[in-house]
Amino acid sequence: MSSTIDSILVEHRVFSPSAKAVAGATVAGMESYKALCAEAEQDFNGFWTRMANEHLVWRKPFTKVLDESEAPFYTWFDDGELNVSENCLDVHLTNGNADKTALIFEADDGSVDKVTYRQLHARVCRIANGIKSLGYKKGDRAIIYLPMSIEAIACMQACARLGVIHSVVFGGFSAKSLHQRIVDVGAKLVITADAQLRGGRAIALKSAVDEALADEGGDIVQHVIVYKRAGSEVNWSGSRDVWLHELEDGQPDSCEAVAVEAEHPLFILYTSGSTGKPKGVQHASAGYLLWASLTTKWVFDVRPDDIFWCTADVGWVTGHSYIAYGTLAAGLTQIIFEGIPTYPHAGRFWEMIQRHKVSIFYTAPTAIRSLIKAAQADPDTHPQRYDLSSLRLLGSVGEPINPEAWIWYYQNVGQGRCPIVDTWWQTETGGHILSPLPGATPLKPGSCTLPLPGIITGVVDEAGNDVPQGRGGFLVIKRPWPAMIRTVWGDEERYKSSYFPTDLKGYYLAGDNAQRDADGYYWIMGRTDDVLSVSGHRLGGTEIESALVAHEKVAEAAVVGRPDATTGEAIVAFIMLKDPVPDGVQADALAKELRDWVAKEVGAIAKPRDIRFGNNLPKTRSGKILRRLLRVVAEGKEVTQDVSTLENPDVLKQFTGVY
Ligand code: PRX
């Protein structure tokens, strides 16, 4: 990351909001932003009470706001009741949005399907009635393993309508990862598709579910609902498997939404941590939805005729907060895209913005960087070849955006007219934490600027003390916020030790390094742990290491990230084999075998880019692998650091071949 950080730190340009961006903005001007922050600081509970009453519809009003008595197990609006799906759909049946388009689905092959809020509501109700008819109810867990589709969103909403807790698993994860999540969450229901279509190819999903359920413990699943997407052949278990269309058929278009307590878990989403298996991040209903919809309105400065496109997949938190929940609660018209940015050509995103007159476009730096490269290679895919005049606002999420990519995005996609909101947040935060407001915050390319109103952040040292401006430290959130993670599913100790280490004054530890500049702006400098960010996807180095070590030929493995101009980081695996180190064709073949193995154990997204073989790994005398040295080797640089702590300094010389 050092080259990124260097270029970030020399970036001084500031882009103030235009008069047009300020006019009519939800938060207009820095004074309005500061007034909201001051309101929250002066009367924290009063501020959140006002927000929760103005932005949510309650079945039973709350009297309590933040309860800190069991910290760090905080609760919000604890005695209130509501239903999330009712807040996302039913509200629009009576506020003039009923016949407004809710979702515009563009398939991999370019065909388009649209649903209005009224139609989406009816669809969700039919699916919810179907799920109910199978016997599922509030508190049951369902795994959703679906491609990007209207159905994926409808199934998430249908679960929320019944109080069934969903856990969406990204389609790029393997049967093994799916199995791990099914067992950990104790799912009785799985919702999947026969296959997903991406880049003109059908990739099977149902067969991965079959494989996952055949593994030990998979028999807790009683039903698998299957959406027929690709028309692919599937194996069928008559007592367990149900077609989605048959389940929905004949069900009524209405379904009473189940009122749940504010703290009832809405979903569990697995994410990679610094150690061991993925963590099931548990989110509550009311606080989560409040923040997802409030940040949608503030950060995207929503206007009634906006066409919003978030390119994330519903398998990640971005697809939860800004496709399935916050954006629906805010009544937006959204694009749902099944395919990939480079099929049938790398101008697909720009062509879609032109076709659907997208006004707000929210994507990841990786996508931008790869499309810059594509546009250089083939000018026909350059955004300037398309009519992007409908765009009003751009967004970035998932990883630091380097100033060069920011400027390209600003000039070529936004045509110098559209503010860029660089939003910093995490699966655990539920919604944006650090972000500009387009009608208020002056922008600095590469900085996610300032905390949102009601959010109290800081950069601290190991003892939780604020570090001086310009000095790096741990990014923390000092006060609880409504959309925060409630616990790690089934593992309260892990929740406490991962996010609230004892020396940190009770602050939430994000796991990122950051620093603030003279204006108080935040600059994110990467993770403090061995979590990798590959194409904006969060992957655990240790998870990939355990997968590699499980292979019969591998004795030990260390996985590190190497800076990559397109994907942010590339995975580099250092492998100590049980047998002598191969070279040439044999090494190539073994590297392929190990990549395929990781794809099977974790998922194709976790395949190492580079594999390096050796007879040993660099370790301290106490046996700790020195990953910081491996990072230097991975970058192809010479190790100039002090290696005196190494048991055998010569060990670094062996990793010459890259496979
Ligand atoms: O390191 C930060 C990076 O992504 C991590 C969170 O990953 P995940 O839980 O998968 O959520 C991604 C989508 C919200 C953070 O700890 N990250 C996220 N957004 C940014 C970022 N790094 C820099 N700038 C951002 N805007």
Side-chain angles (χ1 to χ4, degrees), residues 346-362:
R348 179 83 185 251
F349 273 7
W350 322 130
E351 191 179 76
M352 284 180 63
I353 291 172
Q354 170 180 294
R355 178 156 50 241
H356 301 294
K357 299 195 168 35
V358 171
S359 59
I360 308 173
F361 181 62
Y362 189 37

Side-chain angles (χ1 to χ4, degrees), residues 271 316-318 396-401 422-428 448 510-512 524 526-527 536-538:
T271 190
W316 306 101
V317 73
T318 310
S396 173
V397 59
E399 51 184 318
I401 178 162
D422 177 1
T423 60
W424 179 92
W425 58 296
Q426 308 176 295
T427 307
E428 293 87 344
C448 47
D512 279 26
I524 304 294
R527 298 282 307 186
H537 295 152
R538 179 167 157 184

